[in-house]
Amino acid sequence: MDGVTLRRDGHVAEIVLDRPEALNALSTAMARRLAAVCAEVAADTSVRAVVLSAAGEKAFCVGADLKERNAMSDAEILAQRPVFRAAFGGVLNLPQPVVAAVHGYALGGGCEFALSADLVVADESAVFGLPEVGVGLVPGGGGTQLALRKLGPGKAADLVFTGRRLGVEEALEYGLADRKVPAGTAREEALGIAEVIARNSPTAVRAAKRALRLGAGVALEAGLDLEDNAWRTVAFSADRREGVAAFNEKRKPDWPS
């Protein structure tokens, strides 16, 4: 529906960019649907991990739907902006760990969705890029800021200013991708990672994600305070009590949260 499908399997939610006939290009309707799906998943405390995948064989996502945008007035483009920000922000701000399963083209907004994830599994067909300056735009889904924080200023400038594309090997070298897998297996690998994450304490995992996200770019002392806050969040929780008890009783934990 409207280019985004939500699937559930136990404690793992899969958000599928599902507009393969347009290479999963982000339309206004698709952006609205994605924001709504992310809000639904974020509010669901039974979801412990999220996979962001894409339908079709050729592309993860090629960014904004420029055919739609070509027919829009300046006022319509301006009105579209908060809709797009809500979609990208929805993915970025999910409280659960997000594993992106990337195959084919991940360009513009597609690359920004990958940058918004916590882990990126890319198959051998993956191609990443931020080509916006070539069509008179600036990355608008967090690309400049996320690339700066994840890749560093030099590599971010390289991608943004040249608009060039990176294959999977260079994406690994740059830090855009975290794991390389054979063609056609990114989704399977990402779901496997999500299942591993989902077996851990959801309270601890969410607290750890907050510490990692908020700690990016802050001074070490401030970062250690963030870590201390995360530790205090879980140290006296029911999850900690269950986890320690399960360890001592040599059984799998049954997380109460």
Side-chain angles (χ1 to χ4, degrees), residues 23-24 54-62 101-107 120-129 165-172 177 179-187:
L23 302 181
N24 298 312
E57 298 181 357
K58 294 183 178 180
F60 176 68
C61 173
V62 294
V102 178
H103 72 280
Y105 296 113
L107 305 176
V120 177
V121 176
D123 81 9
E124 293 170 330
S125 71
V127 178
F128 296 84
R165 299 179 179 185
L166 274 60
V168 67
E169 294 294 346
E170 198 169 9
L172 284 167
R179 297 195 191 186
K180 172 190 169 185
V181 295
T185 66
R187 176 177 177 267

Side-chain angles (χ1 to χ4, degrees), residues 1-256:
M1 182 176 67
D2 287 332
V4 178
T5 300
L6 176 61
R7 299 174 181 152
R8 285 287 306 273
D9 185 6
H11 294 294
V12 175
E14 182 182 8
I15 299 172
V16 185
L17 305 176
D18 198 358
R19 199 179 171 223
E21 72 282 359
L23 302 181
N24 298 312
L26 191 66
S27 66
T28 306
M30 185 176 172
R32 285 198 182 94
R33 168 68 176 160
L34 181 57
V37 166
C38 286
E40 178 182 342
V41 171
D44 188 344
T45 56
S46 71
V47 175
R48 298 178 182 176
V50 178
V51 169
L52 180 65
S53 65
E57 298 181 357
K58 294 183 178 180
F60 176 68
C61 173
V62 294
D65 186 340
L66 296 185
K67 290 182 179 179
E68 177 190 55
R69 191 167 286 176
N70 189 51
M72 297 170 71
S73 67
D74 287 355
E76 289 170 328
I77 291 173
L78 187 61
Q80 184 194 58
R81 179 64 179 153
V83 178
F84 269 45
R85 287 201 69 179
F88 286 103
V91 175
L92 181 64
N93 295 321
L94 282 166
Q96 306 94 338
V98 178
V99 185
V102 178
H103 72 280
Y105 296 113
L107 305 176
C111 187
E112 290 169 312
F113 283 134
L115 285 165
S116 298
D118 299 291
L119 288 169
V120 177
V121 176
D123 81 9
E124 293 170 330
S125 71
V127 178
F128 296 84
L130 293 169
E132 285 87 347
V133 295
V135 292
L137 290 167
V138 170
T144 62
Q145 300 308 301
L146 294 171
L148 176 65
R149 286 160 173 77
K150 189 165 187 178
L151 313 180
K155 290 183 174 65
D158 181 11
L159 286 181
V160 173
F161 295 162
T162 69
R164 71 185 186 90
R165 299 179 179 185
L166 274 60
V168 67
E169 294 294 346
E170 198 169 9
L172 284 167
E173 177 189 334
Y174 264 51
L176 252 175
D178 301 299
R179 297 195 191 186
K180 172 190 169 185
V181 295
T185 66
R187 176 177 177 267
E188 178 184 359
E189 179 74 9
L191 287 169
I193 294 170
E195 288 288 353
V196 171
I197 293 170
R199 289 198 290 268
N200 294 321
S201 159
T203 299
V205 169
R206 287 186 181 221
K209 174 166 178 170
R210 286 196 301 272
L212 286 166
R213 283 292 178 90
L214 295 175
V218 305
L220 177 58
E221 183 177 0
L224 291 173
D225 284 340
L226 288 168
E227 182 178 89
D228 185 64
N229 288 336
W231 181 88
R232 291 173 186 276
T233 297
V234 301
F236 308 105
S237 69
D239 273 20
R240 189 273 301 167
R241 288 188 286 273
E242 168 61 12
V244 172
F247 176 83
N248 282 284
E249 295 165 15
K250 296 181 173 55
R251 60 174 175 80
K252 293 181 179 179
D254 180 14
W255 303 115

